[in-house]
Structure formats: structure tokens, C-alpha cells
Amino acid sequence: MLGGESKERAIHSSKLLYLLLITSISLNLYSFSSLLPFSSTPEPGWTAPASTEAEAVAAIQCSGHGRAYVDGIYVGGVPVCECNTCYGGSDCSEISPDCPADADSGDPLFLEPYWMREAAGSAVVVAGWHRMSYRINNDAAAISAELVKQIRRLHSAVGNAITDGRFILFGAGSTQLLNAAVHALSPDDPLSPPAKVLASVPYYPVYEMGTTFFNDRENRWGGTTSTWANKSDSSAAGEFIEFVTSPNNPDGSLKRPVLNVSSVITDHAYFWPHFTEIPAPGDEDLMVFTLSKLSGHAGSRFGWALVKDKKVYDKMSKYIMLNLFSVSRDTQLRALKLIKVIVDGSKVGGKDIFEFGYSTMNDRWRRLNDVVSKSNRFSLQSLSPQFCTYFQTIRDPSPAYAWLKCEREEDEDCAASLKAEGIMSRGGATYKTDGRYARLSLIKTQDDFEQLLQHMVALVSKEGGAQVI
Amino acid sequence: MLGGESKERAIHSSKLLYLLLITSISLNLYSFSSLLPFSSTPEPGWTAPASTEAEAVAAIQCSGHGRAYVDGIYVGGVPVCECNTCYGGSDCSEISPDCPADADSGDPLFLEPYWMREAAGSAVVVAGWHRMSYRINNDAAAISAELVKQIRRLHSAVGNAITDGRFILFGAGSTQLLNAAVHALSPDDPLSPPAKVLASVPYYPVYEMGTTFFNDRENRWGGTTSTWANKSDSSAAGEFIEFVTSPNNPDGSLKRPVLNVSSVITDHAYFWPHFTEIPAPGDEDLMVFTLSKLSGHAGSRFGWALVKDKKVYDKMSKYIMLNLFSVSRDTQLRALKLIKVIVDGSKVGGKDIFEFGYSTMNDRWRRLNDVVSKSNRFSLQSLSPQFCTYFQTIRDPSPAYAWLKCEREEDEDCAASLKAEGIMSRGGATYKTDGRYARLSLIKTQDDFEQLLQHMVALVSKEGGAQVI
């Protein structure tokens, strides 16, 4: 018989042995299962390395003027900070003196802080075997049914488009869908004259660039709508395809077709409460939207079209199919997560991306307006407060772009004059209109906007010889 | 003075209070920080919800005949199993009787088990704010420098392409790059006759479908190379663009250009050790590769081109730019992770995807060959063992597709005869050749292959009146 202490020791030893045995069995099972080629369920904890990596990279400090990415350039085992314009140094803390303000591109980084705040809800883990197939549920168009459902919920929550009785089509960005739409609306009959593709000035130049570059036998760029609006014989000139951008890029005005033609492509890229009032849901035959200006994810290249006519939808689908088969599943997965966060957060205090987007854009517009209103040299497009069905209130303007006019006679090339003063813009000529205008992007990072404002303040101050702010 | 028990209780209470206080402070800090709009570093643990979700979905049991995805259709709070062909039921355990074997599409799911096994290494976490910009490091082409580096490492490790002195261009799948290449190699001069786009039979039909559908003024489909090979006056017929697919889809043979023309597009989709020996690195002027047939991620839509000529590269870049601006950052991030796993695992025992891919494909080819060799009704393309510079040994064949010939006089339409016996294939007419041929895909799931083999066994057994296996 064993004494008390010995007994305890024996129990302890046997417990230890048991534990070792269990550990050993688990380890063996682990090694064994890792050798099995067709194990259909991965080991628990398989997401840990990716999570650890992502959190480590997110914790890299870039002084609030940049960020590091997991797929950035690695130096010394960690990815480098990628700094905002005019910032440099290993942690983006150094501002370069005399750096021009870059208000050129429509890069929607104003929403980046929203997604950093919503980090936990908006992250996705992509498994190595995630949707490898060409198809989804044996459908070659490979359109995620859940994503379609969320897009319909989104338009219904925002009230900016009617989705009932419309086909939904995905593209790798809205640009691709716009090209697909031009092709689909062009005549099928090779003996028909090519359709003329038109837009109203000032217009987004990519419509013309795409139509001209792809050089489709079935259509050609036809210039501006004003050329045809007053011609009584326009009906004899063959078919027309009119681009309508609403709100318009660059000037933010809500637009309607100018010509009474059957083929209209409505580009609703900016038709979100960030940028404009929503007077009523879009109800056009062919509407195109993009994630880029909704969530700010320009880099994801995701757009969708709402199409009434089955024949047009089929031809657009064939275009997408022969161009890229279908939109990347990685992109669709991410778009699903982001749109879910947006819809679930809409009208929830502090969670609503449109509240966030609107207040940011309105703040920028107000501050720029304050400066420009003190100037005789510059003026801005006139936008007035309007009732918005989304916010259920009259809202002040918050356009994506300032459409600046240089009022002085010598400033015929407004963009050049701005450039000489250290402000990068896009001149009126780009939008096929008077060079006295220039587009200033207000949707970039806060740093970009502050630099633009500083430069504008300095410029306007020079007019009166005193500081305006 | 307190008694022992009371003292212990008091200590316990104060500990509890302290704990509550700490918890409360943490919660307050958390709420406070979650209200901060411009917090540039997310809270630690932000990846946890996405990880939990991904692991929970990966653990859903689909009997080894399907899998659930995080973006699947949710029923009762969990995504449903998406079953392999011929399997059904909530856990994919039910096999449908008399289900035809589907050997039609080139869906590369044979590599799915590899990625399930490499789960921990191949997962990626995509943060909500990951690469929202149109640009990467201010470059509008937005090509990840790290991904370019890994692609060069990959070709060097596999020895299947020379990347030195080549520009690298990304596309949303190789199809898009093939279209871009046709456009880029077509004449710039509008007065030149359109270039004729050609391929050698049997050829992948998408070349012709794309060229015809996009209907570019600068080129048109010109038919098969054999039409022009024997014409002495072909040089007077204008410019030619020749597609060369090597190894060829459908028959797996390594190919070279037939015509002596300057513009050749080499489609190297299948030029990986899974499917063919690598006799020497590809050194052509314009080579196109795709992730789809390398890693099996057809759904990610990622391809790349290696281009020697700067002018051709520039025109292809412009095509991609006006088509979709740049390839989705979500796709680029995933491609980077997958290619890293491939390169780091190459020639590492049990880790090498090419070992895995080759042994799977070779096993399928051998087993199908065993059956067909007992038949008088069918034959397969003849492929012989060849030295492979990657494996440094003579390897048996392992083609992606079986190019089956129906030998009986009455089987003029081989695909139709197979269909009548429950086998879905792609007939010779699709590849612009004799209908006596049909392509059987060997790269789909193991289930698909087993069903194909069972049907072939049954079919061949009928010939002799006895079981062949």
C-alpha cells in the first residue's frame, strides 16, 4: 500500500503520462493529417498566420500620413510606409517643402478613415481554396447571388435606384461596363452605319477615349450632344448613344438626356448621399454604378449595371464574358463584405458611411467656398441646398469636385495658371469645354485637401495683399 | 479588526471591484476610440471576427464532395454546401443516379486539395482599407512590385520563361491580355487593311470568338494558318497575327508558329510541369500566362504577359487601362500570396505544387489510357515520355485534356456519341477540326474524373461484352 505522498505522486505521474500520451497522439494525428493529400477540412487555427501578419502590418506607425500594406515592399522584414502626397521619411513624418497640392485625380481616399474605424467589421479572410472555379453554382457568369441581394438592399436603403425588373450585371469597374454598354447598344446589322456616341459638355473624357481606342466597327465617337440637338435631320443621321452622367463629373449637377434618343447610358457613379441630394430613385433603362465612389474602393475594380432590356443585358454579358469571363471572386467577396457593412450601418448613428461621407465632403466644400468667395480671380459652380430623400432634410451641397473658373482675362488656361501656383488640377479642355475652367478633386485624402486649401488661401491672399483666413 | 473569512471576502471584493474598474476603463477606452473618426491604427484583435467566420465556414462538413464558402447562400445562419457535380443533399452525401459525367469545361479544380492542405500558408486577410486607391505608389498602372518580383522568381524556379528584358503586364485573366495583344499588334494606320488573326487547328475557340465579337476596325479573324501557309503571295495579303498555344489546348502538344510572320502571340497557359515537360524556358516575344492553370484559381481572374517590345507593351497597357484601369488589388494580393507559397514550396518534398499537380494529372492520364487502350472504338492522342528540365528526369505524359478520337465509321460526331452515353465533352467542331475528335477535361475535381472513368469503363466494356476493369 502506498503512503499519502507517494499516492499523490503516482496520481500526478499517471496524469502527466496521460497528458503526454494525448499530446503525442494529437501531434501524430496532426502530422498524419498534414500528410493526407485530400483532407477536406483544414486544421483549426489555419487563419492565425494571416491574422497575425495583417495585424502586425496594420500596427506599423506612419504618422497618420500614410499606411503600410501586407503586399508592400519589404525592407528589413517589414513593409515600408506608403506616404500621402508631400509626406516622406520612413514613418511619413517629413513634409516636403514647396510640394505642389495635387487635386488632379478622383481618387476617393476621403473614405479611408471610415474603413480604418470599421476595421473589425470590414475585414475578410480569403481561404486558399476560396472559389477556385470559373463558375458559381454552375453558372458561368459567376455572379454571387448574395452580392446581388445586398446590392438590391443597398439601393432600397439609399433610395437611389429602382432595381425591380432590372437585370444586374457585374464588371471589373464601371468603365468596363460603360464600354460593354456602348457595344451592346450599337447596331447588330453590319450594314447599318455605326452608332454615334455622344455626351454633353463638360464630360468625363474616358467615354470618348474608350470609344475611340477600341475602334469598334459598330460605333464611333460622335462629339457633343449640342452638335445634334438643334439639327432637325438628326433622326436621319443613324443611331445615337448618349452618355448622361448624373451627378455630372466634373460639375456635380444632376443631368438628364439632351437628345430624344432611345439609347442612353446613365452613369450614376456619384449618385450617393456623399456627393448629392437624392431627389428620387434612378429609374433609367441602363444605369451604371461603381464601388469606387460608394465605398471608396477604387482599387478593387468593381461596378454593376442595372439593365431593363434583356437583349441589351445579354449582349453586355457576352462582352464581359469574352473580356474576362467574370469578375474576380476575390473582388466579389470583398464587395459583399463592404456593402453589407454599409447597408447594416446605414442610418445607424456613427455607423452610417453616408453621414461620414457627407459631413467630410460638405466640410471641404464649405471651407473651399469660404476662401474662393473672398476672391475676384476665381469662382466656383453654384450649387444650392436641396431636399434629400435619404437624409429626409434639406442638405447643403457636398460635391466630389470643385469646378473652378478663372475670371481674369489673362487666365485663359486656368489649369496652367493654377499649376504655376503649385496646384495640380484638370483643365476645362480635358472636359471638352472652356479652358477657363478647371476641376479640383475634393475626394482625396485629408492631407491632399488641406494642401489644396493652403495653396488656395495663399493664392487668394495675394489678390488683396492680405491673409484671407 | 476583521476575522479571517471576512478579510478574505474583503480582499475578494476589492479584487472584483478592481477587475470591474479595469474592465470598465477598457470598455470606455474602447468606446471612446471607436468614436474617434481618424484613428489611424485599428484596435488589436480586429481580424478576429473575420477569422472566426472563415474557420467556422471551413469546418462545415460537405462529405468530401463539396465545400461551403463565406459568401455562399445562407440558410439557417450558415452557408449551404456547394456540391460537386452529381452530388446533392445538405451535406453533399447523396449521389444522383444516372448522372452524366461532365468532362466539358477546363475548370482546374484538381488543385483544390493542395490549397486545403496548405490552408495556413495560403490564407490572406484583406483589411477594410486595403489599397483603396486607383494607384500603387503613385503609379496608375497599379502593378504590385512585390508580385512582379514573385512572378520573375516563379519563372526562374520553374524554368519555363525568360523574364529578363521583358515588360510585365497584368490582366484580369489571360483572355483579356490576349485581346489586348491582338489590338496592340494590329496596324495603327487607319489606311492599312485590317490584320488577319489566325490559329492552327485544333485551336481554342475563344481566340476567334473574341476577335469577331469585339469587331475592331484594325483586325479581323482570318481563319486557320493552313489557309495561308502554302500561299506564295501571303506577304501581299497584309499583316497577320498568329496565335500559338503551347502546349496546345485541346491536344497537349508543344507548338511553334506555322507562318513566318512577325506578330505571334504565344499562349503559355498550360506551360507548367503539371501538364507538360519543360524542355527549355519560353523565349518568345509576347508570352501570356494565367494563374488559372498554374495554381488552379480560375475564379480569381489573373493573368500576366511578358512583352519584349516597348511599343506593343505600351499599347497593351493602354488597352488594360481603358478597359478596367488596373487589375483588382484584392486579386493581386491573393495572387501574391499563392505564388509565394508555390515558389517557396517548389522542390520541397510534399510542398511542391508541381509534384502534386503532375502526380494527379499523370495518374488520371494513366488510368484513362488503360481503359481506352482496351477499346477499338476510341483512341487517345499519342504522347511520349520526355525529359523535363524542372523535374530533371524523363517524365510520363500528364496532359490537361484527353483528345479522344471516335474510330467507328458511324461516330462522325464523337461528342454526340459520347453524350448519348452520358459523357459531356467538347466536340472537334468547337476546335475547328474533325467531329470525330472530342476533348475530355481531366483537370476538374476528383469526383468529376472518377465519374468520367466509370462511364468510359462501362462504354468500353460494352464493346467486348465484358468488364475491362
Side-chain angles (χ1 to χ4, degrees):
Chain A
M1 219 181 125
L2 291 159
E5 207 185 322
S6 308
K7 198 174 169 182
E8 218 170 89
R9 233 183 259 162
I11 292 172
H12 183 74
S13 301
S14 72
K15 268 189 188 164
L16 207 74
L17 261 173
Y18 179 73
L19 212 72
L20 277 171
L21 194 68
I22 289 287
T23 313
S24 159
I25 291 174
S26 319
L27 275 173
N28 280 333
L29 276 175
Y30 183 82
S31 324
F32 181 68
S33 73
S34 74
L35 287 176
L36 280 176
F38 295 109
S39 150
S40 64
T41 314
E43 293 294 307
W46 59 271
T47 60
S51 289
T52 306
E53 183 189 26
E55 295 210 13
V57 171
I60 292 172
Q61 297 296 326
C62 304
S63 309
H65 301 294
R67 73 300 289 151
Y69 297 113
V70 287
D71 60 355
I73 293 165
Y74 278 65
V75 172
V78 284
V80 298
C81 282
E82 297 183 21
C83 304
N84 292 345
T85 328
C86 300
Y87 286 86
S90 64
D91 65 350
C92 304
S93 62
E94 296 161 22
I95 185 155
S96 20
D98 308 323
C99 178
D102 188 349
D104 180 329
S105 82
D107 217 358
L109 288 166
F110 74 107
L111 289 168
E112 196 183 55
Y114 178 85
W115 295 108
M116 288 199 169
R117 208 183 64 187
E118 299 296 326
S122 62
V124 284
V125 170
V126 192
W129 66 93
H130 179 73
R131 293 209 181 279
M132 294 172 63
S133 174
Y134 282 107
R135 290 154 181 260
I136 295 182
N137 283 318
N138 217 22
D139 170 32
I143 282 188
S144 154
E146 271 298 303
L147 183 48
V148 167
K149 200 172 99 186
Q150 295 298 332
I151 287 174
R152 290 192 196 272
R153 270 185 76 206
L154 171 72
H155 285 302
S156 159
V158 177
N160 68 338
I162 291 170
T163 61
D164 291 344
R166 260 87 174 179
F167 299 98
I168 295 189
L169 181 74
F170 295 170
S174 61
T175 307
Q176 188 173 67
L177 291 165
L178 299 170
N179 294 329
V182 168
H183 188 79
L185 294 170
S186 297
D188 285 325
D189 180 0
L191 299 176
S192 301
K196 290 179 190 68
V197 186
L198 311 167
S200 302
V201 286
Y203 63 81
Y204 178 53
V206 173
Y207 304 142
E208 179 173 352
M209 289 159 76
T211 304
T212 306
F213 182 80
F214 294 117
N215 205 10
D216 191 335
R217 287 185 181 87
E218 294 158 7
N219 57 64
R220 61 171 69 237
W221 186 250
T224 70
T225 51
S226 58
T227 320
W228 300 96
N230 301 322
K231 284 193 183 163
S232 54
D233 64 341
S234 65
S235 63
E239 288 187 47
F240 292 92
I241 298 168
E242 182 178 348
F243 271 110
V244 176
T245 323
S246 185
N248 197 32
N249 171 5
D251 62 17
S253 59
L254 293 176
K255 300 283 283 277
R256 303 191 59 76
V258 169
L259 299 177
N260 186 20
V261 294
S262 58
S263 299
V264 174
I265 301 169
T266 308
D267 183 348
H268 273 323
Y270 297 88
F271 197 46
W272 298 104
H274 310 308
F275 311 115
T276 178
E277 74 273 14
I278 307 294
D283 191 20
E284 295 87 358
D285 286 356
L286 200 169
M287 299 183 269
V288 178
F289 290 88
T290 166
L291 192 68
S292 173
K293 300 303 184 292
L294 159 65
S295 74
H297 292 81
S300 288
R301 313 308 310 127
F302 182 75
W304 64 97
L306 304 177
V307 185
K308 236 182 203 170
D309 188 276
K310 175 79 165 65
K311 215 183 117 220
V312 175
Y313 163 77
D314 285 341
K315 204 168 164 191
M316 285 179 76
S317 298
K318 192 166 179 189
Y319 186 102
I320 298 295
M321 175 71 75
L322 287 170
N323 187 300
L324 50 59
F325 284 11
S326 55
V327 172
S328 168
R329 252 53 98 214
D330 315 324
T331 300
Q332 291 195 45
L333 172 61
R334 193 156 182 231
L336 174 65
K337 177 65 92 171
L338 299 169
I339 293 178
K340 256 187 180 166
V341 172
I342 290 171
V343 181
D344 293 344
S346 72
K347 297 191 178 162
V348 177
K351 285 271 180 191
D352 187 341
I353 194 173
F354 302 113
E355 277 282 2
F356 180 93
Y358 171 70
S359 73
T360 306
M361 294 309 301
N362 174 248
D363 179 72
R364 293 182 183 183
W365 174 249
R366 257 191 320 96
R367 290 170 67 197
L368 181 66
N369 240 310
D370 283 353
V371 177
V372 175
S373 65
K374 295 181 179 66
S375 163
N376 292 317
R377 183 174 174 189
F378 303 109
S379 65
L380 288 171
Q381 78 260 48
S382 166
L383 294 167
S384 56
Q386 295 290 343
F387 184 80
C388 174
T389 55
Y390 180 74
F391 291 124
Q392 283 293 312
T393 183
I394 292 173
R395 69 195 280 293
D396 283 329
S398 59
Y401 305 108
W403 188 231
L404 193 80
K405 190 178 179 192
C406 282
E407 301 279 354
R408 292 203 309 212
E409 200 152 340
E410 62 268 40
D411 288 341
E412 270 177 88
D413 186 342
C414 188
S417 302
L418 289 170
K419 196 176 173 190
E421 302 285 351
I423 298 172
M424 318 289 279
S425 66
R426 284 198 186 159
T430 304
Y431 302 91
K432 290 292 148 84
T433 192
D434 193 344
R436 295 200 161 274
Y437 290 89
R439 190 191 81 166
L440 298 172
S441 175
L442 304 180
I443 61 179
K444 298 178 75 187
T445 65
Q446 197 64 29
D447 281 340
D448 282 314
F449 177 73
E450 299 299 344
Q451 286 152 20
L452 168 65
L453 204 70
Q454 278 169 26
H455 277 79
M456 284 301 296
V457 167
L459 201 48
V460 174
S461 299
K462 283 205 282 187
E463 285 180 49
Q467 293 289 332
V468 285
I469 285 173
Chain B
M1 219 182 123
L2 292 161
E5 207 186 324
S6 307
K7 198 173 168 183
E8 215 169 272
R9 233 183 259 162
I11 292 172
H12 182 74
S13 302
S14 73
K15 268 188 187 164
L16 207 74
L17 262 171
Y18 179 74
L19 212 72
L20 277 170
L21 194 69
I22 289 288
T23 313
S24 161
I25 291 173
S26 319
L27 275 174
N28 280 333
L29 276 175
Y30 184 81
S31 323
F32 180 68
S33 72
S34 74
L35 286 175
L36 281 176
F38 293 109
S39 148
S40 64
T41 313
E43 295 292 308
W46 60 269
T47 60
S51 289
T52 307
E53 183 190 25
E55 295 209 12
V57 172
I60 292 171
Q61 297 295 326
C62 305
S63 309
H65 301 295
R67 73 299 287 153
Y69 297 113
V70 287
D71 61 355
I73 292 166
Y74 277 64
V75 172
V78 285
V80 298
C81 282
E82 298 183 20
C83 304
N84 292 345
T85 328
C86 300
Y87 286 87
S90 63
D91 65 349
C92 304
S93 62
E94 296 160 21
I95 185 155
S96 22
D98 308 322
C99 178
D102 189 348
D104 180 330
S105 82
D107 218 359
L109 288 165
F110 74 107
L111 289 168
E112 196 183 55
Y114 178 85
W115 295 108
M116 288 199 169
R117 209 184 62 188
E118 298 297 326
S122 62
V124 284
V125 170
V126 192
W129 66 93
H130 179 72
R131 294 211 182 276
M132 293 173 64
S133 173
Y134 282 107
R135 290 154 180 262
I136 294 181
N137 283 319
N138 217 23
D139 170 31
I143 282 187
S144 153
E146 271 299 302
L147 184 46
V148 167
K149 199 172 99 186
Q150 294 298 332
I151 288 174
R152 291 192 194 271
R153 270 185 76 204
L154 170 73
H155 285 301
S156 158
V158 177
N160 68 337
I162 291 171
T163 61
D164 291 344
R166 260 86 174 181
F167 299 97
I168 295 190
L169 181 73
F170 294 170
S174 61
T175 308
Q176 189 174 65
L177 291 165
L178 299 171
N179 294 329
V182 169
H183 188 80
L185 294 170
S186 297
D188 285 325
D189 180 359
L191 298 176
S192 301
K196 289 178 191 67
V197 186
L198 312 167
S200 302
V201 288
Y203 62 82
Y204 178 54
V206 173
Y207 305 142
E208 179 173 353
M209 288 160 75
T211 305
T212 306
F213 182 80
F214 294 118
N215 205 10
D216 192 335
R217 288 186 181 85
E218 293 158 5
N219 57 65
R220 60 171 70 239
W221 186 252
T224 71
T225 52
S226 59
T227 319
W228 300 96
N230 300 321
K231 284 191 182 163
S232 55
D233 63 342
S234 65
S235 62
E239 289 186 46
F240 292 91
I241 298 168
E242 182 178 349
F243 271 109
V244 176
T245 322
S246 186
N248 197 33
N249 172 4
D251 62 17
S253 59
L254 293 176
K255 301 281 285 276
R256 302 191 59 77
V258 169
L259 299 178
N260 186 20
V261 294
S262 58
S263 298
V264 174
I265 301 168
T266 308
D267 183 348
H268 272 324
Y270 298 88
F271 197 46
W272 298 105
H274 309 308
F275 311 115
T276 179
E277 75 273 14
I278 307 294
D283 192 21
E284 295 87 359
D285 286 355
L286 199 168
M287 299 183 268
V288 178
F289 289 89
T290 167
L291 192 66
S292 174
K293 300 304 184 290
L294 160 64
S295 73
H297 292 81
S300 288
R301 313 308 310 128
F302 182 75
W304 63 98
L306 304 176
V307 186
K308 235 182 204 169
D309 187 276
K310 175 81 165 66
K311 215 183 118 221
V312 174
Y313 164 77
D314 285 341
K315 205 169 163 191
M316 285 180 75
S317 298
K318 192 166 179 190
Y319 186 101
I320 298 295
M321 174 73 76
L322 286 170
N323 187 300
L324 50 58
F325 283 10
S326 55
V327 172
S328 169
R329 252 53 97 214
D330 315 324
T331 301
Q332 291 195 43
L333 172 62
R334 192 153 182 232
L336 174 66
K337 176 66 89 170
L338 299 169
I339 293 178
K340 254 186 182 169
V341 171
I342 291 171
V343 181
D344 293 344
S346 72
K347 297 188 177 162
V348 177
K351 285 270 180 193
D352 188 340
I353 194 172
F354 302 113
E355 277 283 1
F356 179 94
Y358 170 70
S359 74
T360 306
M361 294 309 301
N362 174 248
D363 179 71
R364 294 181 182 184
W365 174 249
R366 257 192 321 98
R367 291 170 65 198
L368 181 67
N369 240 311
D370 282 352
V371 177
V372 175
S373 66
K374 296 180 177 66
S375 164
N376 292 316
R377 184 175 173 187
F378 304 109
S379 66
L380 288 172
Q381 77 262 45
S382 166
L383 293 168
S384 56
Q386 295 290 343
F387 183 80
C388 174
T389 56
Y390 180 74
F391 291 124
Q392 283 292 311
T393 182
I394 291 173
R395 68 195 280 293
D396 282 329
S398 60
Y401 306 108
W403 189 230
L404 192 80
K405 189 176 178 191
C406 283
E407 301 279 356
R408 290 202 310 210
E409 198 151 339
E410 62 267 38
D411 289 340
E412 269 177 88
D413 185 343
C414 188
S417 302
L418 289 169
K419 196 176 172 192
E421 302 284 352
I423 298 172
M424 318 289 280
S425 67
R426 284 199 186 158
T430 304
Y431 302 91
K432 291 291 149 81
T433 191
D434 193 342
R436 294 198 162 275
Y437 290 89
R439 190 190 83 167
L440 297 172
S441 175
L442 304 180
I443 61 178
K444 298 178 75 187
T445 65
Q446 197 63 28
D447 282 339
D448 282 314
F449 177 73
E450 299 299 344
Q451 286 153 19
L452 168 65
L453 203 69
Q454 278 169 25
H455 277 79
M456 285 299 296
V457 167
L459 202 49
V460 174
S461 299
K462 283 205 285 188
E463 285 180 51
Q467 293 289 332
V468 285
I469 284 172

